[in-house]
Amino acid sequence: MIAPRRALREVFPYQPGKSIASVQRELGLKSVVKLASNENPLGPSPQAMAAYRKAEKSCGLYPEGASPELRAALAHFHQVEPESIIVGNGSDEVIRLLCEAFLDPEDEVVVSQYGFIRFKQQAAMMGARVIEVPMTDWTHDLALMASAASPRTRLIFIANPNNPTGTYNTQEEVAAMLAAVPKTALVVVDEAYFQYAAAVPGYPKSLPELVRAHDNLVVMRTFSKAYGLAGLRVGYGVADPELIGWLDRIRMPFNVNLPAQRACLSALKDAAFVKRAVTVNDAQRAVVARALGEMGFGVGESATNFVFVRCPLPGRELFKAMLRQGVIVRPLEEYGLPNHIRVSIGTAVQNKTLFAALKRVLGNKVGA
Ligand SMILES: Cc1ncc(COP(=O)(O)O)c(C=O)c1O
């Protein structure tokens, strides 16, 4: 058998949240609620879906490779030049492109202990040395991360707010980190949950301000969360045009499909939809935090559309028991957190289903 590259032998595949279809198949359940991948429980904006359906007529043709219309609209939205933007097949593709473009084997990458796991997985695939820095209060410690950067460091990854801990870093902290790291290190700030966090005190104004001021900063955003378009796989990065040029050179020729480009173009204009999604999330996150707290779970502060939850029983055990109740949550052993789970915020109805299922599971445990 032919072996793959050396760096790949140590790599484990990303474990996505379990799908509704797989739980239905495996457990023979009809009704399943998924609160495992931080999707928008309202689904996509109807306006975006109308644009998606309209694109049907053009599906016989290749899309434009660099998503020029979406790129121009995003440039206008963020007040940067179109050349400052790369559109990817999810922000996941942008993470991959960054690692492929900037990492030689043995280069150093700085990540946080419980930072979004894709960063270290992707860096490891390039044979890079991953340096994991401890968190402080479940939050990226940017001062410590900056001090871990050396002349060999090429990338420093931060998710702000972070998945799975739900915590965030302030403008002051990000600016101090940018001032402290060597200019040869590229700082990547992943703002996948930006819309949910934008109003929290001190949240950074990264676009356009910080990106304009620092040519070693990339900011990533996605259409998968507040825009409700996870299934279409569109995310993007914003940075200095020269840096974006390298990513553009190595992306797949037609990396974002045509209906996805059109739907995102329309979604970007539907600010009212995003506002509603954030309002519903804010209200329901408070309901979920209170209910779970009353049941004896430890619920962390969250600037996102999920909560990070410490459980009175092993997270895997709870996850399995909840599956049998038709509710999918996310265990976190891959992060080295066997006693935590992550729960996405659903609609009021979905959350009530969650609470009822948790009560049944906890009741069974007490009765056992
Ligand atoms: C912090 C963070 N970054 C990136 C992603 C990937 O998003 P996308 O769907 O744009 O690939 C996620 C998805 O869960 C995430 O939580």
Side-chain angles (χ1 to χ4, degrees), residues 1 69 113-114 159 176 244 253 274 357:
M1 193 60 185
E69 290 179 22
Q113 186 181 13
Y114 303 120
I244 293 293
V274 173

Side-chain angles (χ1 to χ4, degrees), residues 125-192:
M125 282 186 215
M126 300 309 299
R129 287 190 52 220
V130 177
I131 297 172
E132 246 178 72
V133 176
M135 280 193 161
T136 300
D137 296 333
W138 300 108
T139 307
H140 283 76
D141 187 330
L142 299 192
L144 209 55
M145 289 179 81
S147 67
S150 79
R152 303 201 59 178
T153 303
R154 302 302 313 279
L155 294 174
I156 303 173
F157 279 107
I158 303 158
N160 195 24
N162 183 48
N163 172 12
T165 56
T167 51
Y168 74 98
N169 294 99
T170 62
Q171 166 103 9
E172 217 175 308
E173 290 171 322
V174 174
M177 172 190 228
L178 284 163
V181 298
K183 295 290 168 268
T184 44
L186 181 58
V187 176
V188 182
V189 179
D190 178 349
E191 296 186 341

Side-chain angles (χ1 to χ4, degrees), residues 75-355:
H76 181 71
F77 190 79
H78 290 302
Q79 296 165 15
V80 296
E81 323 156 61
E83 292 73 24
S84 289
I85 293 179
I86 176 117
V87 185
N89 198 265
S91 42
D92 239 328
E93 189 193 8
V94 182
I95 298 171
R96 181 170 201 138
L97 292 175
L98 285 164
C99 291
E100 287 180 355
F102 295 107
L103 296 179
D104 278 318
E106 304 303 323
D107 279 346
E108 286 178 5
V109 175
V110 175
V111 300
S112 188
Q113 186 181 13
Y114 303 120
F116 185 47
I117 204 162
R118 290 287 302 124
F119 303 150
K120 64 174 179 186
Q121 284 177 339
Q122 201 61 60
M125 282 186 215
M126 300 309 299
R129 287 190 52 220
V130 177
I131 297 172
E132 246 178 72
V133 176
M135 280 193 161
T136 300
D137 296 333
W138 300 108
T139 307
H140 283 76
D141 187 330
L142 299 192
L144 209 55
M145 289 179 81
S147 67
S150 79
R152 303 201 59 178
T153 303
R154 302 302 313 279
L155 294 174
I156 303 173
F157 279 107
I158 303 158
N160 195 24
N162 183 48
N163 172 12
T165 56
T167 51
Y168 74 98
N169 294 99
T170 62
Q171 166 103 9
E172 217 175 308
E173 290 171 322
V174 174
M177 172 190 228
L178 284 163
V181 298
K183 295 290 168 268
T184 44
L186 181 58
V187 176
V188 182
V189 179
D190 178 349
E191 296 186 341
Y193 301 94
F194 166 80
Q195 293 81 3
Y196 302 107
V200 298
Y203 188 75
K205 292 199 181 348
S206 53
L207 292 176
E209 282 88 340
L210 288 178
V211 161
R212 280 204 192 130
H214 298 274
D215 62 7
N216 64 331
L217 170 67
V218 182
V219 173
M220 296 194 306
R221 300 261 177 100
T222 181
F223 284 94
S224 298
K225 308 296 177 186
Y227 287 102
L229 291 167
L232 297 190
R233 312 300 307 118
V234 186
Y236 57 97
V238 188
D240 180 76
E242 201 178 316
L243 188 149
I244 293 293
W246 289 110
L247 306 184
D248 203 35
R249 196 184 280 205
I250 60 167
R251 70 170 167 74
M252 294 280 275
F254 307 102
N255 61 332
V256 181
N257 70 68
L258 182 88
Q261 290 186 29
R262 298 271 171 84
C264 290
L265 199 51
S266 172
L268 200 59
K269 295 180 192 143
D270 197 350
F273 175 81
V274 173
K275 195 168 170 211
R276 188 159 74 87
V278 171
T279 306
V280 169
N281 181 70
D282 283 351
Q284 286 303 310
R285 190 178 59 214
V287 172
V288 171
R290 189 168 350 103
L292 268 57
E294 282 167 11
M295 283 184 230
F297 292 94
V299 184
E301 283 283 322
S302 169
T304 65
N305 65 341
F306 59 84
V307 280
F308 177 59
V309 180
R310 190 179 169 85
C311 307
L313 64 163
R316 169 69 45 182
E317 211 179 294
L318 183 62
F319 161 75
K320 282 192 185 156
M322 289 297 282
L323 282 186
R324 290 191 286 274
Q325 301 291 332
V327 178
I328 314 174
V329 296
R330 188 69 167 264
L332 294 171
E333 297 114 326
E334 63 174 336
Y335 281 89
L337 294 165
N339 297 315
H340 284 79
I341 58 166
R342 196 190 68 201
V343 183
S344 307
I345 306 302
T347 59
V349 172
Q350 290 176 327
N351 295 334
K352 279 189 186 139
T353 307
L354 165 76
F355 305 151

